[in-house]
Coordinates of all heavy atoms in Angstrom, one line a residue:
M25 N -69.7 177.1 162.8 CA -70.5 176.0 163.2 C -70.8 176.1 164.7 O -69.9 176.4 165.5 CB -69.9 174.6 162.9 CG -70.7 173.5 163.3 SD -69.9 172.0 162.6 CE -70.7 170.8 163.6
I26 N -71.9 175.8 165.2 CA -72.3 175.7 166.6 C -72.3 174.3 167.1 O -72.9 173.4 166.5 CB -73.6 176.4 166.9 CG1 -73.6 177.9 166.5 CG2 -74.0 176.2 168.3 CD1 -74.9 178.6 166.7
E27 N -71.5 174.0 168.1 CA -71.4 172.7 168.7 C -72.2 172.6 170.0 O -72.2 173.6 170.7 CB -70.0 172.3 168.9 CG -69.2 172.0 167.7 CD -67.8 171.5 168.0 OE1 -67.4 171.4 169.1 OE2 -67.1 171.2 167.0
I28 N -72.7 171.5 170.3 CA -73.4 171.2 171.6 C -72.4 170.5 172.5 O -71.9 169.4 172.1 CB -74.6 170.4 171.4 CG1 -75.6 171.0 170.4 CG2 -75.3 170.1 172.8 CD1 -76.3 172.2 170.8
R29 N -72.0 171.0 173.6 CA -71.0 170.5 174.5 C -71.6 169.5 175.6 O -71.3 169.6 176.7 CB -70.2 171.6 175.2 CG -69.5 172.5 174.2 CD -68.7 173.5 175.0 NE -67.7 172.9 175.8 CZ -67.6 173.1 177.2 NH1 -68.5 173.9 177.8 NH2 -66.7 172.5 177.9
V30 N -72.4 168.6 175.2 CA -73.1 167.7 176.1 C -72.2 166.8 176.8 O -72.2 166.7 178.0 CB -74.2 166.9 175.4 CG1 -74.9 165.9 176.3 CG2 -75.3 167.8 174.8
D31 N -71.3 166.2 176.1 CA -70.4 165.2 176.7 C -69.5 165.8 177.7 O -69.3 165.2 178.8 CB -69.5 164.6 175.6 CG -70.2 163.5 174.8 OD1 -71.2 163.0 175.2 OD2 -69.8 163.3 173.6
E32 N -68.9 167.0 177.5 CA -68.1 167.6 178.4 C -68.8 168.0 179.7 O -68.3 167.8 180.8 CB -67.4 168.9 177.8 CG -66.5 168.6 176.6 CD -67.2 168.6 175.3 OE1 -68.5 168.5 175.2 OE2 -66.5 168.7 174.3
L33 N -70.0 168.5 179.5 CA -70.8 168.9 180.7 C -71.2 167.7 181.5 O -71.2 167.8 182.8 CB -72.0 169.7 180.3 CG -71.7 171.1 179.7 CD1 -73.0 171.7 179.0 CD2 -71.2 172.0 180.7
L34 N -71.6 166.6 180.9 CA -72.0 165.4 181.6 C -70.8 164.8 182.4 O -70.9 164.5 183.5 CB -72.6 164.4 180.7 CG -74.0 164.7 180.1 CD1 -74.4 163.7 179.0 CD2 -75.0 164.7 181.2
A35 N -69.6 164.8 181.7 CA -68.4 164.2 182.3 C -68.0 165.0 183.5 O -67.7 164.5 184.6 CB -67.3 164.2 181.3
G36 N -68.1 166.3 183.4 CA -67.8 167.2 184.5 C -68.7 167.1 185.7 O -68.3 167.4 186.8
R37 N -69.9 166.6 185.5 CA -70.8 166.4 186.6 C -71.0 164.9 187.0 O -71.8 164.6 187.8 CB -72.2 167.0 186.2 CG -72.1 168.5 186.1 CD -73.2 169.1 185.3 NE -73.2 170.5 185.3 CZ -72.4 171.3 184.7 NH1 -71.5 170.8 183.9 NH2 -72.5 172.6 184.7
G38 N -70.2 164.1 186.4 CA -70.3 162.6 186.7 C -71.7 162.0 186.3 O -72.2 161.1 187.0
R39 N -72.3 162.5 185.2 CA -73.6 162.0 184.8 C -73.4 161.4 183.4 O -72.4 161.6 182.7 CB -74.6 163.2 184.7 CG -74.8 163.9 186.0 CD -75.6 163.0 186.9 NE -76.0 163.8 188.1 CZ -76.8 163.3 189.0 NH1 -77.3 162.1 188.9 NH2 -77.1 164.0 190.1
T40 N -74.5 160.6 183.1 CA -74.4 159.9 181.8 C -75.5 160.5 180.8 O -76.4 161.3 181.2 CB -74.8 158.4 182.0 OG1 -76.1 158.3 182.4 CG2 -73.8 157.8 182.9
F41 N -75.3 160.2 179.6 CA -76.2 160.6 178.5 C -77.6 160.0 178.8 O -78.6 160.7 178.6 CB -75.7 160.0 177.2 CG -76.2 160.7 176.0 CD1 -75.9 162.0 175.7 CD2 -77.0 160.0 175.1 CE1 -76.3 162.6 174.5 CE2 -77.4 160.6 173.9 CZ -77.1 162.0 173.7
Y42 N -77.7 158.8 179.3 CA -78.9 158.2 179.7 C -79.6 159.0 180.8 O -80.8 159.2 180.7 CB -78.7 156.7 180.1 CG -79.9 156.0 180.6 CD1 -80.8 155.5 179.7 CD2 -80.2 155.9 182.0 CE1 -81.9 154.8 180.2 CE2 -81.3 155.2 182.4 CZ -82.2 154.7 181.5 OH -83.3 154.0 182.0
W43 N -78.8 159.4 181.8 CA -79.4 160.2 182.9 C -80.0 161.5 182.3 O -81.1 161.9 182.7 CB -78.3 160.6 183.9 CG -78.7 161.5 184.9 CD1 -79.4 161.3 186.1 CD2 -78.6 163.0 184.9 NE1 -79.6 162.4 186.8 CE2 -79.2 163.5 186.0 CE3 -78.0 163.9 183.9 CZ2 -79.2 164.9 186.3 CZ3 -78.1 165.2 184.2 CH2 -78.7 165.7 185.4
L44 N -79.3 162.2 181.4 CA -79.8 163.4 180.9 C -81.2 163.2 180.1 O -82.1 164.0 180.3 CB -78.8 164.1 179.9 CG -79.2 165.4 179.3 CD1 -79.4 166.5 180.5 CD2 -78.1 165.9 178.4
S45 N -81.3 162.1 179.4 CA -82.5 161.8 178.7 C -83.7 161.6 179.7 O -84.7 162.2 179.5 CB -82.3 160.6 177.8 OG -83.5 160.3 177.2
K46 N -83.4 160.9 180.7 CA -84.4 160.6 181.7 C -84.8 161.9 182.6 O -85.9 162.1 182.9 CB -84.0 159.5 182.7 CG -83.9 158.1 182.0 CD -85.3 157.7 181.5 CE -85.2 156.4 180.9 NZ -86.5 156.0 180.2
E47 N -83.8 162.6 182.9 CA -84.0 163.8 183.7 C -84.7 164.9 183.0 O -85.5 165.6 183.6 CB -82.6 164.4 184.1 CG -82.6 165.5 185.1 CD -83.0 165.1 186.5 OE1 -83.0 163.9 186.8 OE2 -83.4 166.0 187.3
T48 N -84.5 165.0 181.7 CA -85.1 166.1 180.9 C -86.4 165.7 180.2 O -87.2 166.6 179.8 CB -84.2 166.7 179.8 OG1 -83.8 165.6 179.0 CG2 -82.9 167.3 180.5
G49 N -86.6 164.4 179.9 CA -87.7 163.9 179.1 C -87.4 164.1 177.6 O -88.3 163.9 176.8
I50 N -86.2 164.5 177.3 CA -85.8 164.6 175.9 C -85.4 163.3 175.4 O -84.6 162.6 176.0 CB -84.7 165.6 175.7 CG1 -85.1 167.0 176.3 CG2 -84.2 165.7 174.3 CD1 -83.9 168.0 176.4
S51 N -85.9 162.9 174.2 CA -85.6 161.5 173.7 C -84.1 161.4 173.5 O -83.4 162.3 173.2 CB -86.4 161.3 172.4 OG -85.8 162.0 171.3
H52 N -83.7 160.1 173.6 CA -82.3 159.8 173.4 C -81.9 160.1 172.0 O -80.8 160.6 171.7 CB -82.1 158.3 173.7 CG -80.7 157.8 173.6 ND1 -80.1 157.5 172.4 CD2 -79.7 157.7 174.5 CE1 -78.8 157.1 172.6 NE2 -78.6 157.3 173.9
T53 N -82.8 159.9 171.0 CA -82.5 160.2 169.6 C -82.2 161.7 169.4 O -81.3 162.1 168.7 CB -83.7 159.8 168.7 OG1 -83.9 158.4 168.9 CG2 -83.4 160.1 167.3
T54 N -83.1 162.5 170.0 CA -82.9 164.0 169.9 C -81.6 164.4 170.5 O -80.8 165.2 169.9 CB -84.1 164.8 170.6 OG1 -85.3 164.4 169.9 CG2 -83.8 166.3 170.5
L55 N -81.2 163.9 171.7 CA -80.0 164.3 172.3 C -78.8 163.8 171.5 O -77.8 164.5 171.3 CB -79.9 163.7 173.7 CG -80.8 164.4 174.7 CD1 -80.8 163.6 176.0 CD2 -80.5 165.8 175.0
W56 N -78.9 162.6 170.9 CA -77.8 162.0 170.1 C -77.6 162.9 168.9 O -76.5 163.2 168.5 CB -78.2 160.6 169.7 CG -77.1 160.0 168.9 CD1 -76.0 159.3 169.3 CD2 -77.0 160.0 167.4 NE1 -75.2 158.9 168.3 CE2 -75.8 159.3 167.1 CE3 -77.7 160.5 166.4 CZ2 -75.4 159.1 165.8 CZ3 -77.3 160.3 165.1 CH2 -76.1 159.6 164.8
R57 N -78.7 163.3 168.2 CA -78.6 164.2 167.0 C -77.9 165.5 167.4 O -77.1 166.0 166.6 CB -79.9 164.4 166.4 CG -80.5 163.1 165.7 CD -81.9 163.4 165.1 NE -81.9 164.4 164.0 CZ -81.4 164.2 162.8 NH1 -80.9 163.0 162.4 NH2 -81.5 165.2 161.9
L58 N -78.3 166.1 168.5 CA -77.6 167.3 169.0 C -76.1 167.1 169.2 O -75.3 167.8 168.8 CB -78.3 167.8 170.2 CG -79.7 168.4 170.0 CD1 -80.3 168.6 171.4 CD2 -79.6 169.7 169.3
K59 N -75.8 166.0 169.9 CA -74.4 165.7 170.3 C -73.6 165.5 169.0 O -72.4 165.9 169.0 CB -74.5 164.4 171.1 CG -73.1 163.8 171.4 CD -73.3 162.5 172.2 CE -72.0 161.7 172.3 NZ -72.2 160.5 173.0
K60 N -74.1 164.8 168.0 CA -73.3 164.4 166.8 C -73.4 165.5 165.8 O -72.8 165.4 164.7 CB -73.9 163.1 166.2 CG -73.7 161.9 167.1 CD -72.2 161.6 167.3 CE -72.0 160.4 168.0 NZ -70.6 160.1 168.2
G61 N -74.1 166.6 166.0 CA -74.1 167.7 165.1 C -75.0 167.4 163.9 O -74.9 168.0 162.8
K62 N -76.0 166.5 164.1 CA -76.9 166.1 163.0 C -78.2 166.9 163.0 O -78.9 166.9 162.1 CB -77.2 164.6 163.1 CG -76.0 163.7 163.1 CD -75.4 163.7 161.7 CE -74.2 162.7 161.7 NZ -73.5 162.7 160.5
A63 N -78.4 167.6 164.1 CA -79.7 168.4 164.2 C -79.5 169.7 163.5 O -78.4 170.3 163.4 CB -80.0 168.7 165.7
L64 N -80.6 170.1 162.9 CA -80.6 171.4 162.1 C -80.8 172.6 163.1 O -80.5 173.7 162.7 CB -81.7 171.4 161.1 CG -81.5 170.3 160.0 CD1 -82.7 170.3 159.0 CD2 -80.2 170.5 159.2
G65 N -81.3 172.3 164.3 CA -81.5 173.4 165.2 C -81.9 172.8 166.6 O -82.0 171.6 166.8
I66 N -82.1 173.7 167.5 CA -82.5 173.4 168.9 C -83.6 174.4 169.3 O -83.4 175.6 169.1 CB -81.3 173.3 169.9 CG1 -81.8 172.8 171.2 CG2 -80.6 174.6 169.9 CD1 -80.6 172.5 172.2
N67 N -84.7 173.9 169.9 CA -85.7 174.8 170.3 C -85.4 175.3 171.7 O -84.6 174.6 172.5 CB -87.1 174.3 170.1 CG -87.4 173.1 171.0 OD1 -87.1 173.1 172.1 ND2 -88.2 172.2 170.4
F68 N -85.9 176.4 172.1 CA -85.7 177.0 173.4 C -86.1 176.1 174.6 O -85.5 176.0 175.6 CB -86.3 178.3 173.6 CG -85.6 179.4 172.8 CD1 -86.3 180.1 171.8 CD2 -84.2 179.6 172.9 CE1 -85.6 181.1 171.1 CE2 -83.6 180.6 172.2 CZ -84.3 181.3 171.2
E69 N -87.2 175.3 174.4 CA -87.7 174.4 175.4 C -86.6 173.3 175.7 O -86.3 173.0 176.9 CB -89.0 173.8 175.1 CG -89.6 172.9 176.1 CD -90.9 172.3 175.7 OE1 -91.4 172.6 174.6 OE2 -91.4 171.5 176.5
T70 N -86.1 172.8 174.7 CA -85.1 171.7 174.8 C -83.8 172.3 175.5 O -83.3 171.7 176.4 CB -84.7 171.1 173.4 OG1 -85.9 170.6 172.8 CG2 -83.6 170.1 173.5
L71 N -83.4 173.4 175.0 CA -82.2 174.1 175.6 C -82.4 174.4 177.1 O -81.6 174.2 177.9 CB -81.9 175.4 174.8 CG -80.6 176.1 175.2 CD1 -79.4 175.2 175.1 CD2 -80.5 177.4 174.4
E72 N -83.6 174.9 177.4 CA -83.9 175.2 178.8 C -83.9 174.0 179.7 O -83.4 174.0 180.8 CB -85.3 175.9 178.9 CG -85.7 176.3 180.3 CD -87.0 177.0 180.4 OE1 -87.7 177.1 179.3 OE2 -87.4 177.4 181.5
K73 N -84.5 172.9 179.2 CA -84.5 171.6 180.0 C -83.1 171.1 180.2 O -82.7 170.7 181.3 CB -85.3 170.5 179.2 CG -86.8 170.7 179.3 CD -87.5 169.6 178.5 CE -89.0 169.8 178.5 NZ -89.6 168.7 177.7
M74 N -82.2 171.2 179.2 CA -80.8 170.8 179.4 C -80.1 171.7 180.4 O -79.4 171.2 181.2 CB -80.1 170.8 178.0 CG -80.6 169.8 177.0 SD -80.0 169.9 175.4 CE -78.2 169.5 175.7
C75 N -80.3 173.0 180.3 CA -79.7 173.9 181.2 C -80.2 173.7 182.7 O -79.3 173.7 183.6 CB -80.0 175.4 180.9 SG -79.2 176.0 179.4
Q76 N -81.4 173.4 182.9 CA -81.9 173.1 184.2 C -81.3 171.8 184.8 O -80.9 171.8 185.9 CB -83.5 173.0 184.2 CG -84.1 174.4 184.0 CD -85.6 174.3 183.8 OE1 -86.2 173.2 183.6 NE2 -86.3 175.4 183.9
A77 N -81.3 170.8 184.0 CA -80.8 169.5 184.4 C -79.3 169.6 184.7 O -78.8 169.0 185.7 CB -81.0 168.4 183.4
L78 N -78.5 170.3 183.9 CA -77.1 170.4 184.0 C -76.7 171.6 184.9 O -75.5 171.8 185.1 CB -76.4 170.5 182.7 CG -76.6 169.3 181.8 CD1 -76.2 169.6 180.4 CD2 -75.8 168.1 182.4
E79 N -77.6 172.4 185.4 CA -77.4 173.6 186.2 C -76.3 174.5 185.5 O -75.3 174.8 186.1 CB -77.0 173.2 187.6 CG -78.0 172.4 188.3 CD -77.6 171.9 189.7 OE1 -76.4 172.0 190.1 OE2 -78.5 171.4 190.4
C80 N -76.7 174.9 184.3 CA -75.7 175.7 183.6 C -76.5 176.8 182.8 O -77.7 176.8 182.8 CB -74.9 174.9 182.7 SG -75.8 174.0 181.3
Q81 N -75.8 177.6 182.0 CA -76.4 178.6 181.1 C -76.3 178.1 179.7 O -75.4 177.3 179.4 CB -75.6 179.9 181.3 CG -75.7 180.5 182.7 CD -77.1 181.0 182.9 OE1 -77.8 181.6 182.1 NE2 -77.7 180.6 184.1
P82 N -77.1 178.7 178.8 CA -77.0 178.2 177.4 C -75.6 178.4 176.8 O -75.2 177.5 176.0 CB -78.0 179.2 176.7 CG -79.0 179.5 177.7 CD -78.2 179.6 179.0
G83 N -74.9 179.4 177.2 CA -73.5 179.5 176.7 C -72.6 178.4 177.1 O -71.5 178.3 176.5
D84 N -72.9 177.7 178.1 CA -72.1 176.6 178.6 C -72.3 175.4 177.6 O -71.5 174.5 177.5 CB -72.4 176.2 180.0 CG -72.1 177.3 181.0 OD1 -71.2 178.1 180.8 OD2 -72.9 177.4 182.0
I85 N -73.5 175.3 177.0 CA -73.9 174.2 176.2 C -73.5 174.5 174.7 O -73.0 173.6 174.0 CB -75.4 173.9 176.3 CG1 -75.7 173.4 177.7 CG2 -75.8 172.9 175.3 CD1 -77.2 173.2 178.0
L86 N -73.8 175.7 174.3 CA -73.6 176.0 172.9 C -72.2 176.7 172.7 O -72.0 177.7 173.4 CB -74.7 177.0 172.4 CG -76.1 176.4 172.5 CD1 -77.1 177.5 172.1 CD2 -76.3 175.2 171.6
V87 N -71.4 176.3 171.8 CA -70.1 176.9 171.5 C -69.9 177.1 170.0 O -70.2 176.2 169.2 CB -69.0 176.0 172.0 CG1 -67.6 176.6 171.8 CG2 -69.1 175.7 173.5
V88 N -69.5 178.2 169.6 CA -69.2 178.5 168.2 C -67.8 178.1 167.9 O -66.8 178.4 168.6 CB -69.4 180.0 167.9 CG1 -69.0 180.3 166.4 CG2 -70.8 180.5 168.2
T89 N -67.6 177.3 166.8 CA -66.3 176.8 166.5 C -66.0 177.3 165.0 O -66.8 177.7 164.3 CB -66.2 175.3 166.5 OG1 -67.0 174.7 165.5 CG2 -66.6 174.8 167.9
N90 N -64.7 177.1 164.6 CA -64.3 177.4 163.3 C -64.5 176.2 162.3 O -64.2 176.3 161.1 CB -62.8 177.8 163.3 CG -62.7 179.2 163.9 OD1 -63.6 180.0 163.9 ND2 -61.5 179.4 164.5
K91 N -64.9 175.1 162.8 CA -65.1 173.9 162.0 C -66.3 174.2 161.0 O -67.2 174.9 161.3 CB -65.5 172.7 162.8 CG -64.4 172.3 163.8 CD -64.9 171.1 164.6 CE -63.9 170.7 165.6 NZ -64.4 169.6 166.5
K92 N -66.1 173.6 159.9 CA -67.2 173.6 158.9 C -68.2 172.5 159.1 O -67.9 171.5 159.6 CB -66.7 173.5 157.5 CG -65.7 174.6 157.1 CD -65.8 175.0 155.7 CE -64.8 176.2 155.5 NZ -65.0 176.9 154.3
S93 N -69.5 172.8 158.8 CA -70.5 171.8 159.0 C -70.2 170.5 158.2 O -69.8 170.6 157.1 CB -71.9 172.4 158.5 OG -72.9 171.4 158.7
A94 N -70.5 169.4 158.8 CA -70.2 168.1 158.2 C -71.4 167.6 157.4 O -71.5 166.4 157.1 CB -69.7 167.1 159.2
G95 N -72.4 168.5 157.1 CA -73.6 168.1 156.4 C -73.3 167.6 155.0 O -72.3 167.8 154.5
K96 N -74.3 166.9 154.5 CA -74.1 166.3 153.2 C -74.2 167.5 152.1 O -75.0 168.4 152.3 CB -75.3 165.3 152.9 CG -75.2 164.1 153.7 CD -76.3 163.2 153.4 CE -76.3 161.9 154.2 NZ -77.4 161.0 153.9
K97 N -73.4 167.3 151.2 CA -73.4 168.3 150.1 C -74.4 167.8 149.0 O -74.5 166.6 148.8 CB -72.0 168.4 149.4 CG -71.0 169.0 150.3 CD -69.6 169.1 149.6 CE -68.6 169.6 150.5 NZ -67.3 169.7 149.8
R98 N -75.1 168.8 148.5 CA -76.1 168.4 147.4 C -75.3 168.3 146.1 O -74.6 169.1 145.7 CB -77.1 169.5 147.3 CG -78.0 169.6 148.5 CD -79.0 170.7 148.3 NE -79.8 170.9 149.6 CZ -80.8 171.7 149.7 NH1 -81.1 172.4 148.7 NH2 -81.4 171.8 150.8
S99 N -75.6 167.2 145.4 CA -75.0 167.0 144.2 C -75.9 167.5 143.1 O -77.1 167.5 143.2 CB -74.7 165.5 143.9 OG -75.9 164.8 143.9
V100 N -75.3 168.1 142.1 CA -76.1 168.6 140.9 C -76.0 167.6 139.8 O -74.9 167.3 139.3 CB -75.5 170.0 140.5 CG1 -76.2 170.5 139.3 CG2 -75.5 171.0 141.6
K101 N -77.1 167.1 139.5 CA -77.2 166.1 138.4 C -77.2 166.8 137.1 O -77.9 167.8 136.9 CB -78.4 165.2 138.5 CG -78.3 164.3 139.8 CD -79.5 163.4 139.8 CE -79.5 162.6 141.1 NZ -80.7 161.7 141.2
S102 N -76.4 166.4 136.2 CA -76.4 167.0 134.8 C -77.5 166.4 134.0 O -77.9 165.3 134.1 CB -75.1 166.7 134.1 OG -74.9 165.4 134.0
R103 N -78.1 167.3 133.2 CA -79.2 166.9 132.3 C -78.6 166.6 131.0 O -77.7 167.2 130.5 CB -80.2 168.0 132.2 CG -80.9 168.4 133.5 CD -81.9 169.4 133.3 NE -82.5 169.7 134.6 CZ -83.5 170.6 134.7 NH1 -83.9 171.3 133.7 NH2 -84.0 170.8 135.9
P104 N -79.3 165.6 130.3 CA -78.8 165.3 129.0 C -79.0 166.4 128.0 O -80.0 167.2 128.1 CB -79.7 164.0 128.6 CG -80.7 163.9 129.6 CD -80.4 164.8 130.8
A105 N -78.1 166.6 127.1 CA -78.3 167.6 126.1 C -79.4 167.4 125.2 O -79.7 166.2 124.8 CB -77.0 167.7 125.2
K106 N -80.1 168.4 124.7 CA -81.3 168.3 123.9 C -80.9 168.4 122.4 O -80.0 169.0 122.0 CB -82.3 169.3 124.2 CG -83.0 169.1 125.5 CD -84.1 170.1 125.7 CE -84.7 169.8 127.1 NZ -85.8 170.7 127.3

């Protein structure tokens, strides 16, 4: 799983989540989904804006972990017998 290290980077720079949203023009909702691991992906423009605002490289924001995705599992509904 790939995690977004937004909280750690903001804390290290003495900045807030609100500041990052205003600084980058990225909606609070989009940033929250990235932070919580609810986003299915991130586009390069968003990543670039975050890197510029936080003065870092993409590898500082994106980290590969051994955790499994917390996404919803699809249930298989059984069909009635014919």
Side-chain angles (χ1 to χ4, degrees):
M25 179 174 165
I26 296 177
E27 289 184 357
I28 307 289
R29 298 184 59 238
V30 177
D31 284 337
E32 295 89 341
L33 293 170
L34 289 171
R37 288 160 175 78
R39 299 293 186 168
T40 65
F41 201 66
Y42 176 79
W43 172 87
L44 184 60
S45 178
K46 293 297 180 187
E47 188 71 17
T48 60
I50 301 169
S51 74
H52 186 273
T53 303
T54 298
L55 290 172
W56 182 87
R57 291 179 59 78
L58 288 167
K59 171 183 168 179
K60 295 295 184 179
K62 303 291 183 187
L64 297 177
I66 182 171
N67 66 40
F68 288 124
E69 183 180 356
T70 301
L71 184 59
E72 182 179 2
K73 286 178 182 180
M74 292 173 68
C75 287
Q76 288 172 346
L78 296 168
E79 298 177 351
C80 66
Q81 294 294 312
D84 299 327
I85 295 175
L86 304 173
V87 179
V88 177
T89 66
N90 290 332
K91 295 178 187 176
K92 298 212 178 199
S93 178
K96 293 181 180 178
K97 293 182 181 178
R98 295 183 184 181
S99 62
V100 178
K101 294 182 181 180
S102 60
R103 295 183 181 183
K106 291 184 179 182

